[in-house]
Amino acid sequence: MAGRAAEPPADVTLRRWAREQARLKASVVAEDTEEWQKDSGLTGLERVGGVDLSYIKGDDTRACASLVVLSYPALEVTVLYEDCRMVAVSAPYVPGFLAFREVPFLVEAVQRLQQEEPKLKPQVLLVDGNGLLHPRGFGVACHLGVLTDLPCVGVAKNLLQVDGLVRDELHREQVHSLQREGDTFPLRGASGGVLGMGVPGDSRASSQVLLQVPDPGAHPSAEKRRLNWMISLMAEETAGLLFTGSSPPPRPWFC
């Protein structure tokens, strides 16, 4: 029997959530802090994690909270760690506030990993959701990164229409142009900053990806380097396994 959807939160709750996002946003580390991020070959990157909440069909109150850590670069070969637990979701879904619905369960999964297998802690987490591409510049990937102190990359399947970005004919043409590894297009907002990149996803699913840039105000050379390591990471054909365990997302990804 399907669970009853949570009631929409009161305005006072939304204002409190917005203040919490603003407070945590001040702790975002915009610079690359790891040596492997500065190497074009990602030398030193050995463990890549992925997190997601998958809901029971027809029931938005029950979900499987998953954390998977795979070896890099042989993502498809070795699963180093896997944690999948059913959870009861009580907070409602509100656009722009997804973190308050899902992040507590993902933080708990990361904490269990750190307690049980600290040597397997991922060096970067791919998060099914937005990062900077967000109405207040602080999506679920940023939120999780601040609370876990882990580098996080937001990976979205649909374009969130903020800062002048729209799903118009030009955007559809850009998505259609992502046919092979190496194809990309920037998600440049009306403010002038690059908020993410569209890149091809897993060829087996004919998917594309939107990658979230951690620092839209960075110096151009640093921003380009940051985009390069994200694109290199997502170019792996098995990156989709981090979200599903068996097959990649069936639509474009926006990071």
Side-chain angles (χ1 to χ4, degrees):
M1 182 171 157
R4 183 179 178 183
E7 295 293 330
D11 288 345
V12 64
T13 299
L14 296 181
R15 290 194 293 269
R16 175 168 56 82
W17 285 355
R19 290 195 298 270
E20 180 69 358
Q21 287 178 329
R23 183 183 71 82
L24 293 174
K25 184 179 178 180
S27 298
V28 170
V29 177
E31 296 78 20
D32 288 338
T33 58
E34 310 302 317
E35 288 303 315
W36 63 264
Q37 294 172 328
K38 304 170 186 177
D39 186 281
S40 60
L42 303 185
T43 302
L45 178 60
E46 299 177 346
R47 298 175 306 281
V48 177
V51 293
D52 188 21
L53 244 68
S54 301
Y55 292 86
I56 301 297
K57 187 175 182 179
D59 185 350
D60 67 356
T61 65
R62 297 177 62 223
C64 180
S66 302
L67 164 62
V68 177
V69 181
L70 304 180
S71 64
Y72 185 89
L75 292 176
E76 196 170 19
V77 177
T78 306
V79 176
L80 301 176
Y81 179 89
E82 185 173 5
D83 183 326
C84 301
R85 301 198 181 191
M86 296 302 300
V87 297
V89 182
S90 58
Y93 170 70
V94 181
F97 296 101
L98 178 64
F100 295 93
R101 177 174 168 86
E102 298 189 349
V103 160
F105 304 109
L106 302 179
V107 169
E108 288 176 0
V110 172
Q111 290 174 339
R112 285 194 296 270
L113 166 60
Q114 292 175 329
Q115 293 169 0
E116 299 169 5
E117 298 285 353
K119 293 182 179 180
L120 298 181
K121 184 175 75 171
Q123 293 162 278
V124 61
L125 271 179
L126 305 183
V127 183
D128 188 9
N130 288 287
L132 287 180
L133 191 61
H134 180 270
R136 287 166 296 283
F138 192 74
V140 63
C142 297
H143 205 124
L144 183 62
V146 169
L147 294 184
T148 61
D149 197 29
L150 287 173
C152 289
V153 177
V155 183
K157 299 177 284 292
N158 297 296
L159 177 67
L160 188 60
Q161 300 183 91
V162 298
D163 195 20
L165 293 169
V166 294
R167 290 191 291 267
D168 56 10
E169 186 59 34
L170 173 59
H171 177 73
R172 287 189 286 272
E173 290 176 359
Q174 291 173 320
V175 169
H176 183 69
S177 72
L178 300 175
Q179 299 294 323
R180 59 183 63 85
E181 182 179 330
D183 290 343
T184 65
F185 69 87
L187 299 170
R188 188 177 298 277
S191 61
V194 177
L195 300 177
M197 292 292 289
V199 303
D202 192 300
S203 62
R204 294 168 296 177
S206 300
S207 61
Q208 291 78 40
V209 184
L210 291 183
L211 293 168
Q212 314 280 305
V213 183
D215 178 21
H219 187 277
S221 62
E223 182 178 88
K224 182 176 181 180
R225 183 182 67 232
R226 194 164 297 115
L227 283 170
N228 284 343
W229 74 252
M230 290 184 184
I231 292 170
S232 297
L233 180 58
M234 293 307 300
E236 297 291 338
E237 286 213 344
T238 54
L241 295 172
L242 287 163
F243 296 118
T244 65
S246 59
S247 61
R251 294 187 296 276
W253 292 353
F254 302 102
C255 314

